Amino acid sequence: MNIKFLGGAGTVTGSKYLITHENQRVLVDCGLYQGVKKLRLRNRGGFPIDPKTINAVILTHAHIDHSGYVPALRKNGFKGPVYCTKGTYDLCKILLPDSGYLQEEDARYANKKKFSRHSPALPLYTEKDAIESLKLFKPVQYHKPLDVANQITATFTPVGHILGSAAVQISAGGKTITFSGDVGRTEDLVMRPPEPLSETDYLVVESTYGNRRHDETDPFEFFKNIINKTMERGGIVLLPSFAVGRAQTILYIIQLLKERNEIPDVPVYLNSPMAITATEIYCNHHKEHRLTAEECEKIDKDTHFVRTPEESIELNNRKYPSIIISASGMASGGWVLHHLKALLPNHRNSVVFVGFQAPGTRGDAMVNGAEQVKIHGAYHPVRAEVSQIDSLSAHGDYVEILDWLDQSNINPKQVFVTHGEPVASDSMRLKLEEKFGWKVEVPDYGEEFNL
Ligand SMILES: [Zn+2]
């Protein structure tokens, strides 16, 4: 067996790990590069091996940095099955077409501004390409070993990161290699903790938080405070949020605070078509996480789902206190921009960012105290109260991951640390060596190893 690192090495995006055994090739994760331009250009660079020669793709979960290259792989000749859990498949049904739509938007924008080196600029793939690629998907069950290629089997186990997320153990030629995927939290409000791994010869483990710990802000206290303060001022609380996972956690927190009478019974608006669909998908799969059918029903009853741009615009004119959850999470696009324009200039309102804000985004500028932000070509004063909570991350930090591996009671011959910025991955390497005495490697992009 041979492994080649085609992404997720030296960075947290673009995850792609190629396993070759005899003449068979299986690609574990097929993610898009995101973030800085140098990495994004790799999406365009063509695939390092002929996609026609890959027998199957396996996805650990639906996030675009793990699934978003599937439509491009298919466009370039890949015809095999894409194996993933049912939850991942359902989320990919909304995330991949949206990714195609965004690629088309970018190309349209580049053509309008004429800044592309290619004329005309073409999308990496379209919404239609993404919908076509979904036909290759074959949803599988957790815990059931599955033949994914000749003499190669794969087994998925829950890993608590988002709905459908899995660690995957590949077995070929009498050897096993386990991919952690993105690992969830020990104590998440919605997802259950990651399940311990089975014995494995080799391990590939993520390191997003390889050198950091999460802050321990109690989300209930945090939201109780900010919501009550804003309601007393007669203002609106705006929560720019990621549509999948984070929005559902916030709805759940608000629901519980209302039930405990810790905040007033104000209207809650979920204003993002993708977050609405994601909430429905989470509720359809309620057996896979901590939210019960009853809790889902309560959230459904208590939330106003905003489905049209007219309703969305109308929300800004309300004269009574309310809570609005809208995408995108870093205020880089989406319907949340219209709310920001309307709500930022008034000191009565609050804007709460509920996760990491990438450098260069409007969210980052606002949490760092920007006095004005540019939206749709014009500057808007920031007078609303801006705050941020960082403790709702969907990634375990290094202490949580080390505990999980400790509970797994495994003894791999070699470990590969991936999916981290270089400093984080190296810090994770040292911690694994120190705690377990394992042989640990941080692979470079394009590096391969015979196992
Ligand atoms: Zn992820």
Side-chain angles (χ1 to χ4, degrees):
M1 189 160 43
N2 173 288
I3 182 166
K4 187 165 181 167
F5 295 87
L6 298 175
T11 165
V12 291
T13 69
S15 281
K16 292 180 206 78
Y17 311 112
L18 184 73
I19 291 284
T20 307
H21 173 61
E22 306 207 323
N23 295 324
Q24 304 287 299
R25 281 173 161 173
V26 173
L27 186 67
V28 178
D29 279 343
C30 189
L32 267 192
Y33 282 104
Q34 296 170 310
V36 297
K37 191 173 176 190
K38 188 177 130 219
L39 288 175
R40 279 185 287 122
L41 286 174
R42 274 196 204 152
N43 293 327
R44 297 285 184 160
F47 204 67
I49 58 155
D50 183 358
K52 279 193 217 68
T53 66
I54 298 173
N55 299 79
V57 169
I58 289 173
L59 300 182
T60 60
H61 66 289
H63 279 149
I64 286 299
D65 58 322
H66 294 256
S67 71
Y69 196 79
V70 169
L73 198 74
R74 181 194 152 274
K75 222 175 130 180
N76 292 318
F78 171 71
K79 289 193 176 64
V82 177
Y83 295 108
C84 63
T85 64
K86 181 77 174 45
T88 296
Y89 173 53
D90 284 349
L91 290 176
C92 280
K93 282 195 274 190
I94 53 171
L95 288 170
L96 291 182
D98 180 67
S99 171
Y101 172 78
L102 292 176
Q103 312 268 358
E104 289 181 71
E105 283 285 281
D106 285 350
R108 268 193 288 271
Y109 185 71
N111 287 328
K112 206 170 106 194
K113 298 274 173 189
K114 301 202 172 15
F115 62 58
S116 171
R117 280 185 292 148
H118 311 277
S119 180
L122 294 173
L124 180 63
Y125 56 84
T126 62
E127 187 176 359
K128 200 166 156 257
D129 292 328
I131 293 167
E132 273 305 305
S133 76
L134 288 164
K135 292 180 184 158
L136 303 175
F137 279 58
K138 302 236 178 309
V140 305
Q141 289 178 343
Y142 284 114
H143 301 121
K144 263 200 176 159
L146 178 89
D147 294 328
V148 292
N150 191 16
Q151 295 183 48
I152 304 182
T153 63
T155 312
F156 295 68
T157 52
V159 80
H161 171 60
I162 58 166
L163 177 71
S165 63
V168 178
Q169 184 168 83
I170 305 273
S171 121
K175 287 179 186 151
T176 50
I177 179 165
T178 302
F179 294 84
S180 73
D182 286 2
V183 183
R185 310 290 302 274
T186 317
E187 282 178 51
D188 190 89
L189 289 168
V190 172
M191 298 306 297
R192 296 199 187 97
E195 203 173 281
L197 300 174
S198 323
E199 189 56 277
T200 185
D201 296 318
Y202 300 91
L203 173 69
V204 179
V205 66
E206 71 125 322
S207 58
T208 314
Y209 284 84
N211 58 345
R212 283 177 294 164
R213 296 230 49 199
H214 291 304
D215 88 55
E216 284 172 8
T217 308
D218 177 352
F220 290 97
E221 280 302 310
F222 175 87
F223 282 106
K224 186 176 120 182
N225 258 324
I226 197 90
I227 292 170
N228 282 326
K229 240 195 313 183
T230 314
M231 299 301 114
E232 277 160 24
R233 296 196 294 252
I236 294 174
V237 178
L238 174 65
L239 296 145
S241 169
F242 306 100
V244 175
R246 201 64 48 87
Q248 291 72 42
T249 305
I250 297 167
L251 286 172
Y252 177 57
I253 292 171
I254 294 171
Q255 173 62 37
L256 278 183
L257 287 173
K258 280 189 179 184
E259 239 177 83
R260 297 176 189 162
N261 290 318
E262 292 187 356
I263 58 168
D265 189 16
V266 290
V268 178
Y269 300 94
L270 183 60
N271 182 17
S272 148
M274 190 190 279
I276 293 172
T277 314
T279 306
E280 285 162 3
I281 295 171
Y282 265 69
C283 287
N284 290 340
H285 289 269
H286 67 84
K287 289 194 175 128
E288 287 185 34
H289 51 70
R290 295 184 199 263
L291 298 190
T292 61
E294 293 74 46
E295 280 163 338
C296 281
E297 209 168 290
K298 277 188 209 158
I299 289 172
D300 189 58
K301 266 199 195 129
D302 189 56
T303 310
H304 302 266
F305 297 106
V306 182
R307 295 178 197 272
T308 66
E310 293 73 31
E311 276 178 273
S312 172
I313 292 163
E314 230 274 292
L315 287 185
N316 294 326
N317 304 323
R318 302 271 151 110
K319 293 288 174 266
Y320 47 83
S322 60
I323 299 171
I324 304 173
I325 303 164
S326 186
S328 72
M330 300 188 197
S332 45
W335 290 8
V336 78
L337 295 183
H338 299 281
H339 294 312
L340 284 169
K341 283 201 281 190
L343 302 178
L344 277 177
N346 190 328
H347 72 279
R348 275 204 291 269
N349 302 321
S350 293
V351 180
V352 185
F353 289 93
V354 288
F356 174 73
Q357 302 298 309
T361 57
R362 288 188 193 90
D364 182 54
M366 277 184 260
V367 296
N368 284 307
E371 284 172 9
Q372 51 176 11
V373 283
K374 196 175 182 185
I375 303 171
H376 300 145
Y379 281 97
H380 300 267
V382 181
R383 296 198 194 100
E385 185 179 351
V386 175
S387 55
Q388 183 187 27
I389 177 165
D390 191 36
S391 62
L392 296 175
S393 170
H395 287 268
D397 63 27
Y398 70 85
V399 173
E400 291 170 283
I401 292 185
L402 290 177
D403 284 350
W404 172 60
L405 293 173
D406 200 18
Q407 280 166 29
S408 298
N409 207 9
I410 51 175
N411 194 19
K413 288 193 205 45
Q414 185 162 10
V415 179
F416 301 99
V417 176
T418 60
H419 200 285
E421 294 304 321
V423 184
S425 296
D426 205 54
S427 171
M428 189 67 151
R429 172 183 69 80
L430 288 168
K431 288 179 178 100
L432 289 167
E433 285 173 351
E434 210 169 279
K435 186 173 168 91
F436 300 107
W438 292 339
K439 186 178 165 210
V440 188
E441 190 91 35
V442 180
D444 285 328
Y445 172 67
E447 207 172 352
E448 54 184 306
F449 296 81
N450 283 318
L451 308 178

